[in-house]
Every structure is written in C-alpha cells, then in structure tokens.
Amino acid sequence: MTHRMLSLREAVCHSDNLALAYARHARHRGLWMPGVPMSMVARAPVPPMLALAEELRGDRYRPHPPRIIPIAKADGGKRDISVYMIRDRVAQRALVQVMQQRTDAAMAPFSFGYRPARSVSMALASVRAYLDAGYCWVLDADVEHCFDSIPHAPLLAEVERRLGERAAPALVSRYLSWNRETRRTGVGIPQGSGLAPWLCNVYLWRLDDRVRSAGIPMVRYADDFVLLARTREAIGQAQSLCAETLGAMRLRLHPLKTRIVEAAESFRFLGQRLGPAAGGTRP
C-alpha cells in the first residue's frame, strides 16, 4: 500500500494503491468511460490504468457526470443514487483508501460504519454489552437526511483538519466535480460515490468527539446511532447535547425516528430488535 510519508496526491497515484482500487471493481459490469465497456478494459487493463494514473498525477483528471437513479425508501420517500463510470469509481476508491488509512486509527472506537475490520455485528454486540451492564435508558437516534444535508464548506474544512493536508479539500472536490461555488454554498454528499461513507464519518466526527468528552456511551453506524445511560434524566441530557451539537453542524435529529426508550422495551437498531421485550438481547 501507499507510504504515509508521501503527499496525498502522490499516495493516491501510487501503483499499489491504484491496483488495489482497480481490483475492487475489476469484475463490475458497465462502462469504464463513455463508449468503453468494462469488458474491454478487463481484457487489457494496463493501458487505461496508466492513462488514469497520468491524469491523476498531472491534475488533469475530471470525472464524468454520474447517472442519477431514484430509489424508493421504506418511508415512502425517494433517495437519489449517483451511479459513476467505473473509471471514476476506481479513482474515488484510490482516494478514499489513502484518506481512510490516514484517519481511521484516530476515529472513535464506537463508530462502526464503513470502516475496515468493523461490522454491523460488532456494533450490535457493543449495544448488548451496555444493556447487560445496566445502561437501561436508550436514545435511539437518526440524523434526518444526513447525506443530503451535510454542507460542503464545513465538511471540507473537517477533511483538511482531520487529514492535516491542505490539498485534501481540493482533491475531494475534484473527484466529486464540486466547483468553487459548490464548495462554498453546496449541500449534500452524492450517495453512490465511493467517497460518501468516509465523508459522512469525517463530518460526524465532531459529534463523536463531543459525546466522548461528555462520557456518554454511544454506538454509531454512519448516521444511525444510539446513546445509553443509567437514568432517564441522564439520557434526556444526552439527547439535548446531541441535538445542540448537530444543530451547530447544520444537521438535526430525525423527529420521527428518534426516541427515548427504556431497556425493558424493545427497539430496533441496524435491522435487529434489541431489549428484553424482544425475547432477550440476543437475536
């Protein structure tokens, strides 16, 4: 993999990093770029990958506009999914591999979503451990329209702060086709982009820090999370802290999907029903 002493741009273009990114998409179907099917690239990947590497290295890379597909949501609404050319998915993956490598160790231990060697089952096990330890009050929370509501300017400021690289915001913007005005006033991360999960975690890092500094037990999987406490008063205070922090980030708790429950009740988290009322804390 890439060496940490390389600049962000150099690390992205490193041959090992690009090869790993390509391998993740090598079996995908579709278009590498307009007019070029992935099946053709798969037969002889070296020339197109060298061309992509040169574009990235020379700062000439420009992604193609993604195709937007509306997907129905369980609540009756719709979510727009951005479908990128495979060439652009490889480029995004190459960038996120380096950024994730340089930030993951510093992220909160209770953040489980879209991170290496972490899973839904680990997040659920953490919640169960808190319930078994007597944390009998739960804030079952969801950030309303999280990906669609994250503002670009403070997001890019967090990207630079967490990575410690001045070039990082420009690279993220380039790979997502955000121009200067979009960077300044835009809102929303394109779901379907390979960068979206990491960007969500980076933006919610501020919430993680605030909750951790307050000593509140938390388990988060992207924008879906729970806070836990031993008393009703404490969980109410935790909810207020969370709402205040998210408000400062121009986000808010979902009014219909956020609730305080006692452990004697059951609640659903990451597709599993937890709590004694569900027949025990184990699925």
Side-chain angles (χ1 to χ4, degrees):
M1 262 304 281
T2 53
H3 197 285
R4 289 180 178 272
M5 296 304 294
L6 296 175
S7 71
L8 183 60
R9 190 188 306 276
E10 291 171 333
V12 170
C13 299
H14 193 284
S15 59
D16 288 348
N17 186 58
L18 285 174
L20 189 60
Y22 174 80
R24 191 178 182 93
H25 297 283
R27 296 181 180 274
H28 289 191
R29 298 180 179 179
L31 294 177
W32 171 258
M33 57 190 299
V36 181
M38 186 59 188
S39 57
M40 181 184 299
V41 171
R43 288 194 294 268
V46 174
M49 282 301 295
L50 287 176
L52 176 60
E54 286 305 309
E55 289 182 30
L56 296 172
R57 190 172 292 110
D59 203 24
R60 299 189 306 275
Y61 168 73
R62 300 293 185 276
H64 297 282
R67 183 161 52 101
I68 308 299
I69 300 178
I71 302 295
K73 297 168 61 177
D75 61 6
K78 291 186 177 180
R79 174 184 293 114
D80 286 339
I81 301 297
S82 299
V83 180
Y84 289 85
M85 295 286 170
I86 297 176
R87 162 184 173 271
D88 299 321
R89 290 183 235 171
V90 170
Q92 291 177 3
R93 183 64 196 175
L95 177 58
V96 82
Q97 283 171 177
V98 176
M99 296 191 300
Q100 191 168 58
Q101 183 189 50
R102 297 183 178 194
T103 56
D104 195 72
M107 286 186 173
F110 51 73
S111 169
F112 291 91
Y114 310 113
R115 294 178 59 190
R118 288 170 175 264
S119 65
V120 168
S121 61
M122 293 171 66
L124 292 170
S126 183
V127 176
R128 293 181 185 117
Y130 280 120
L131 295 175
D132 291 345
Y135 287 86
C136 54
W137 288 93
V138 179
L139 176 68
D140 180 15
D142 181 272
V143 180
E144 185 176 28
H145 305 307
C146 182
F147 285 84
D148 295 335
S149 302
I150 292 176
H152 294 178
L155 168 64
L156 293 172
E158 282 296 303
V159 168
E160 180 174 352
R161 182 164 79 94
R162 302 297 183 174
L163 274 165
E165 291 230 21
R166 295 183 62 184
L171 283 180
V172 168
S173 299
R174 171 70 53 80
Y175 286 42
L176 294 176
S177 298
W178 291 352
N179 59 28
R180 182 175 298 181
E181 181 62 20
T182 302
R183 291 174 61 177
R184 189 174 68 85
T185 64
V187 176
I189 305 171
Q191 296 188 62
S193 161
L195 298 175
W198 181 84
L199 289 172
C200 177
N201 274 335
V202 165
Y203 196 62
L204 293 180
W205 201 330
R206 180 176 168 186
L207 174 66
D208 295 345
D209 285 349
R210 186 75 186 278
V211 169
R212 180 156 51 170
S213 67
I216 302 169
M218 181 182 193
V219 178
R220 182 172 69 79
Y221 198 98
D223 57 331
D224 195 3
F225 61 92
V226 296
L227 303 182
L228 301 103
R230 296 185 186 276
T231 67
R232 176 65 175 82
E233 180 184 12
I235 202 64
Q237 293 172 349
Q239 181 175 14
S240 297
L241 177 80
C242 185
E244 174 191 341
T245 303
L246 288 173
M249 298 165 63
R250 293 166 55 183
L251 300 173
R252 72 166 188 160
L253 293 171
H254 198 299
L256 301 180
K257 296 181 180 179
T258 300
R259 64 186 185 124
I260 290 177
V261 297
E262 194 173 6
E265 305 176 44
S266 66
F267 62 97
R268 185 168 290 277
F269 181 57
L270 302 180
Q272 292 284 345
R273 187 160 293 281
L274 305 174
T281 59
R282 303 296 189 271

